[in-house]
């Protein structure tokens, strides 16, 4: 406790009015906030207008973890230091159970706050969700409204018919297993 | 008030609320095949995907496996990786680099652009010394790739430049071209004998695959195509039936055709580049059966020697003639003239797409430029609409 009071705290306000108090080092993971803090234009509460409280919680979780890694890796032979694999696994765990709408909000937030690592994690997760899907599945998953007329859709589908074909080689391999 | 409104809006945040930048970040990491499929999702997705990957570019998504003349493996090169696999994940290019490892050729692996995994190829029955020629396919036309290799010894391209006539004489004696074809579908090497032309020159790079058909330069005055797969026959690209071994399409060319260059393909076009890069000829393969073709003379391109592949394709989009240029050099401009030879304007080759409506006005200060014809004639002018009758010129 005594340690945290020594550190400079930054207050962030989410779009729905909730205020979060975080250490400056945590806030600085976000490049947008870092710039603001360095220019000393963030004395009071920093409003983050496009991010809701639950999303901001998640973002702060991520930032805290980043701070933990970077502070621990500065000391040598630290057990907290992660290998590439562990980092991947951690990223997967972090993104586990995130539904598509939260994910979209996370993407918007990390883009706004300019947190590259989180943005990459989000994009990777999104790519894995889209991977191998068909248009209807995408629409269902992300609530995208199909604004094509049936004729238009048919036309585009016919133009790209090859993309809808199953890969014969792929099928053969998976069936032989 | 403001936060409340935000909240209700954010509660329905879905992928459609992402701005185009974020959505593009995601789309750029998806395989090409999936992107084509996802065009159907909604109008916005369709526009995003087609704008990032314009059809001219998508059409040229024919990757090829390159083998150098010593049989070394060059790797997989997507034709337009800059467009299709943008920097964040240019996986194919990475693999290509990795394959240049000298220890690698013991076992060949190919990368499938549609699905991305690396597929190991079967053991080479002839050891490591056989002559691979090419793998070329267009995933928009067929999912299956084929690799062909010549069972004859091919000569070294550098010797070819010096002693091309000698080499030709040597190769004339071969009545058949023995090839082995590896099909990704059957996963087997199949041996084929293909009839040579009367003055056969079988050099690396002369046999190539395009959209499942095989093309081979057999005579200074002919280009002969072959098709060897039922699957591809439905694509109507059957210039020659291998089993009957008869030539169907013969393309006469003029005296400048040296016969020692190489054939290559680009987005449904068949190119011939002479070995010194001086002459480029382009055939439109879709018209191959009708013996319609276009030829580009670049007789005075000595300055640009070393830039072997340059090609201009043109399409009409919304009444605009759009020229797209590949393999350009930074030190020339494209100048567009109308039928009477009047200068319509110029454009910089740093842009790959040239629209006539966007051309820079041509002024007196440009008069010092030396004009070189780049596209002097089209062989079948009746077929070309009025809008296409502009002639691009190159300025040095």
């Amino acid at each position: 406790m005594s340690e945290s009071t020594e550190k400079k705290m930054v207050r962030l306000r989410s779009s729905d009015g909730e205020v979060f108090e975080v250490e400056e080092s945590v806030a600085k993971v976000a490049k947008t906030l870092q710039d603001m803090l360095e220019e000393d234009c963030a004395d009071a509460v920093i409003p983050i207008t496009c991010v809701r409280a639950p999303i901001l919680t998640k973002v702060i979780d991520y930032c805290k973890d980043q701070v933990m890694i970077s502070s621990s890796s500065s000391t040598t032979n630290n057990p907290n230091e992660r290998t590439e694999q562990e980092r991947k696994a951690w990223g997967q765990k972090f993104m586990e159970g995130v539904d598509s709408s939260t994910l979209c909000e996370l993407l918007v937030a990390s883009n706004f706050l300019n947190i590259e690592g989180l943005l990459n994690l989000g994009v990777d997760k999104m790519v894995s969700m889209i991977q191998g899907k068909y248009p209807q599945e995408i629409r269902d998953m992300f609530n995208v409204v199909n604004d094509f007329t049936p004729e238009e859709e048919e036309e585009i589908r016919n133009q790209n018919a090859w993309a809808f074909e199953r890969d014969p080689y792929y099928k053969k391999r998976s069936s032989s297993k | 008030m403001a936060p409340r409104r935000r909240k209700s809006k954010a509660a329905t945040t879905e992928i459609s609320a992402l701005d185009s930048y974020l959505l593009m970040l995601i789309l750029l990491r998806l395989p090409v095949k999936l992107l084509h499929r996802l065009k159907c999702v909604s109008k916005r997705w369709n526009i995003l995907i087609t704008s990032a990957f314009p059809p001219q570019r998508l059409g040229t998504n024919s990757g090829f496996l390159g083998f150098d003349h010593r049989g070394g493996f060059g790797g997989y090169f997507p034709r337009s990786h800059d467009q299709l696999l943008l920097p964040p994940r240019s996986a194919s290019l990475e693999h290509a680099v990795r394959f240049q490892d000298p220890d690698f050729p013991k076992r060949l692996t190919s990368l499938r652009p549609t699905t991305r995994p690396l597929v190991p190829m079967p053991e080479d029955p002839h050891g490591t010394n056989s002559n691979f020629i090419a793998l070329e396919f267009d995933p928009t036309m067929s999912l299956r790739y084929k690799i062909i290799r010549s069972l004859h010894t091919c000569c070294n391209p550098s010797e070819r430049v010096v002693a091309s006539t000698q080499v030709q004489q040597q190769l004339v004696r071969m009545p058949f071209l023995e090839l082995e074809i590896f099909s990704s579908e059957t996963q087997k090497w199949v041996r084929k004998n293909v009839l040579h032309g009367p003055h056969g020159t079988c050099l690396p790079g002369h046999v190539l695959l395009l959209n499942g058909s095989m093309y081979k330069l057999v005579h200074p005055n002919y280009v002969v195509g072959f098709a060897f797969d039922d699957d591809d026959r439905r694509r109507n690209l059957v210039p020659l039936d291998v089993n009957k071994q008869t030539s169907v399409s013969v393309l006469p060319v003029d005296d400048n055709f040296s016969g020692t260059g190489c054939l290559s393909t680009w987005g449904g076009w068949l190119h011939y580049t002479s070995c010194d890069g001086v002459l480029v000829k382009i055939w439109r393969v879709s018209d191959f059966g009708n013996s319609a073709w276009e030829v580009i003379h670049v007789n005075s391109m000595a300055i640009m020697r070393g830039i072997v592949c340059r090609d201009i394709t043109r399409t009409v989009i919304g009444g605009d003639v759009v020229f797209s240029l590949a393999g350009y050099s930074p030190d020339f401009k494209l100048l567009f003239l109308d039928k009477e030879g009047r200068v319509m304007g110029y454009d910089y080759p740093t842009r790959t797409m040239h629209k006539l409506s966007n051309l820079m006005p041509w002024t007196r200060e440009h008069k010092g430029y030396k004009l070189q014809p780049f596209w002097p004639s089209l062989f079948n002018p009746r077929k070309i609409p009025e809008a296409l009758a502009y002639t691009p010129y190159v300025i040095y």
Side-chain angles (χ1 to χ4, degrees), chain A residues 15 124 133 139 147 162 172, chain B residues 3 29 37 40 43 185:
Chain A
S15 66
D124 280 349
K133 293 277 196 306
R139 283 186 216 124
D147 48 3
W162 67 277
K172 227 181 280 170
Chain B
R29 296 200 185 171
R37 211 195 280 159
C40 287
K43 282 184 180 167
E185 202 172 10

Side-chain angles (χ1 to χ4, degrees), chain A residues 60-149:
Chain A
I60 289 170
D61 280 352
Y62 176 84
C63 293
K64 275 184 183 159
D65 186 79
Q66 291 299 304
V67 171
M68 197 189 78
I69 297 170
S70 57
S71 64
S72 59
S73 62
S74 56
T75 57
T76 46
N77 294 333
N78 195 297
N80 283 340
E81 205 169 343
R82 288 176 186 152
T83 62
E84 185 70 31
Q85 243 178 355
E86 282 170 333
R87 205 176 310 146
K88 239 181 205 170
W90 183 86
Q92 261 174 12
K93 209 180 144 204
F94 184 78
M95 281 294 169
E96 207 176 50
V98 173
D99 63 8
S100 61
S101 76
T102 315
L103 185 57
C104 290
E105 285 185 74
L106 263 178
L107 282 175
V108 172
S110 53
N111 186 38
F112 173 73
L113 294 169
N114 201 353
I115 310 171
E116 206 182 323
L118 186 59
L119 189 66
N120 277 337
L121 271 183
V123 169
D124 280 349
K125 171 81 178 174
M126 196 65 109
V127 166
S128 70
M129 284 167 94
I130 295 176
Q131 200 72 259
K133 293 277 196 306
Y134 281 76
Q136 190 52 49
E137 293 171 291
I138 298 285
R139 283 186 216 124
D140 293 345
M141 192 161 60
F142 298 112
N143 292 334
V144 180
V145 181
N146 180 11
D147 48 3
F148 285 118
T149 61

Side-chain angles (χ1 to χ4, degrees), chain B residues 7-148:
Chain B
K7 189 184 173 183
S8 61
K9 198 180 162 189
T12 56
T13 298
E14 279 301 345
I15 207 160
S16 43
L18 293 181
D19 61 29
S20 301
Y21 168 74
L22 284 174
L23 198 49
M24 272 320 288
L25 270 187
I26 297 160
L27 292 178
L28 288 178
R29 296 200 185 171
L30 294 169
V32 176
K33 188 184 172 189
L34 184 61
L35 284 175
H36 276 286
R37 211 195 280 159
L38 294 182
K39 278 184 187 172
C40 287
V41 169
S42 75
K43 282 184 180 167
R44 184 178 176 223
W45 285 54
N46 186 19
I47 290 166
L48 264 181
I49 293 170
T50 41
S51 65
F53 311 103
Q56 294 90 345
R57 285 286 160 176
L58 278 177
T60 63
N61 181 29
S62 52
F64 67 97
L65 274 175
F67 301 94
D68 68 17
H69 60 272
R70 292 178 301 274
F73 187 48
Y76 172 77
F77 304 97
R79 273 293 157 122
S80 48
H81 58 84
D82 54 330
Q83 292 280 330
L84 293 161
L85 307 153
L86 282 155
R89 290 291 160 93
S90 55
S92 311
L93 207 62
E94 282 168 28
H95 290 306
V97 175
R98 196 186 306 158
F99 290 164
Q100 278 164 358
D101 182 348
D103 299 331
F104 185 79
K106 301 283 181 232
R107 180 127 176 112
L108 293 175
T109 309
S110 63
L111 184 106
R112 314 200 56 202
T114 47
T115 52
R116 295 275 180 94
L118 289 164
V119 182
M121 282 169 23
E123 292 285 353
D124 186 349
H126 304 280
T128 53
N129 210 16
S130 52
N131 299 293
F132 288 93
I133 300 170
L135 174 146
E136 184 130 16
F137 79 117
D138 184 347
T140 61
M141 301 297 282
S142 170
L143 294 171
R144 290 159 277 283
Y145 63 81
K146 296 178 195 71
I147 298 162
I148 49 177

Side-chain angles (χ1 to χ4, degrees), chain B residues 345-374:
Chain B
Y346 71 94
D347 206 346
Y348 294 104
T350 39
R351 271 185 269 168
T352 49
M353 304 290 281
H354 304 268
K355 272 185 164 187
L356 283 184
S357 57
N358 294 344
L359 291 182
M360 310 286 189
W362 185 253
T363 57
R364 274 164 185 264
E365 61 191 89
H366 296 104
K367 282 212 166 151
Y369 285 111
K370 204 168 84 193
L371 299 187
Q372 305 283 358
F374 200 89

Side-chain angles (χ1 to χ4, degrees), chain B residues 182-203:
Chain B
F182 177 81
S183 160
S184 67
E185 202 172 10
T186 58
Q187 291 281 302
K188 273 179 193 145
W189 289 100
V190 180
R191 189 179 282 224
K192 293 261 183 198
N193 288 337
V194 173
L195 186 68
H196 254 220
H199 299 84
T201 52
C202 167
L203 299 169

Side-chain angles (χ1 to χ4, degrees), chain B residues 74-350:
Chain B
Y76 172 77
F77 304 97
R79 273 293 157 122
S80 48
H81 58 84
D82 54 330
Q83 292 280 330
L84 293 161
L85 307 153
L86 282 155
R89 290 291 160 93
S90 55
S92 311
L93 207 62
E94 282 168 28
H95 290 306
V97 175
R98 196 186 306 158
F99 290 164
Q100 278 164 358
D101 182 348
D103 299 331
F104 185 79
K106 301 283 181 232
R107 180 127 176 112
L108 293 175
T109 309
S110 63
L111 184 106
R112 314 200 56 202
T114 47
T115 52
R116 295 275 180 94
L118 289 164
V119 182
M121 282 169 23
E123 292 285 353
D124 186 349
H126 304 280
T128 53
N129 210 16
S130 52
N131 299 293
F132 288 93
I133 300 170
L135 174 146
E136 184 130 16
F137 79 117
D138 184 347
T140 61
M141 301 297 282
S142 170
L143 294 171
R144 290 159 277 283
Y145 63 81
K146 296 178 195 71
I147 298 162
I148 49 177
R149 71 178 162 201
S150 156
L151 297 179
H152 290 300
T153 316
C154 294
C155 68
N156 186 323
S158 59
E159 290 165 20
R160 182 179 84 203
V161 180
V162 184
S164 58
T165 46
Q166 211 179 338
V167 169
Q168 281 182 30
Q169 280 170 3
Q170 185 193 335
L171 291 166
V172 160
R173 283 178 237 126
M174 285 190 259
F176 289 96
L177 172 64
E178 278 187 298
L179 293 172
E180 278 200 331
I181 299 162
F182 177 81
S183 160
S184 67
E185 202 172 10
T186 58
Q187 291 281 302
K188 273 179 193 145
W189 289 100
V190 180
R191 189 179 282 224
K192 293 261 183 198
N193 288 337
V194 173
L195 186 68
H196 254 220
H199 299 84
T201 52
C202 167
L203 299 169
H206 274 196
V207 183
L208 60 105
L209 296 171
L210 174 64
N211 301 342
S213 290
M214 187 170 72
Y215 296 91
K216 188 173 157 293
L217 190 69
V218 290
H219 183 269
N221 291 330
Y222 303 93
V223 170
V224 177
F226 308 92
F228 48 81
D229 189 86
D230 284 327
D231 168 57
D232 298 304
R233 224 159 271 169
R234 69 179 179 195
R235 312 285 181 187
N236 298 322
L237 282 167
V238 197
L240 186 129
D241 186 334
V242 172
N243 299 323
K244 289 179 190 158
Q245 293 183 340
T246 52
S247 158
V248 173
S249 295
V250 174
L251 294 178
V253 288
D254 63 30
D255 301 337
N256 291 326
F257 198 89
S258 70
T260 52
C262 65
L263 284 171
S264 60
T265 59
W266 180 287
W269 294 69
L270 189 65
H271 301 253
Y272 172 77
T273 313
S274 70
C275 53
D276 49 1
V278 168
L279 186 73
V280 181
K281 290 168 187 290
I282 299 182
W283 292 274
R284 192 162 47 209
V285 175
S286 52
D287 291 340
F288 207 80
N290 303 327
S291 288
W293 67 93
E294 287 183 271
V295 177
I296 295 181
H297 293 259
V298 199
N299 292 330
S300 43
M301 296 260 276
I303 299 168
M304 286 190 250
R305 190 173 293 216
I307 305 161
V308 177
C309 178
R310 68 186 58 256
D311 42 357
I312 302 180
T313 51
R314 48 178 155 189
T315 37
V316 183
I317 299 170
D320 258 324
V321 188
V322 176
F323 296 87
S324 51
L325 196 64
Y328 46 80
S329 131
D331 54 353
F332 72 94
K333 292 187 184 72
L334 266 182
L335 175 67
F336 296 87
L337 305 189
D338 68 4
K339 275 185 302 184
E340 274 92 45
R342 283 176 306 214
V343 179
M344 301 303 292
Y346 71 94
D347 206 346
Y348 294 104
T350 39

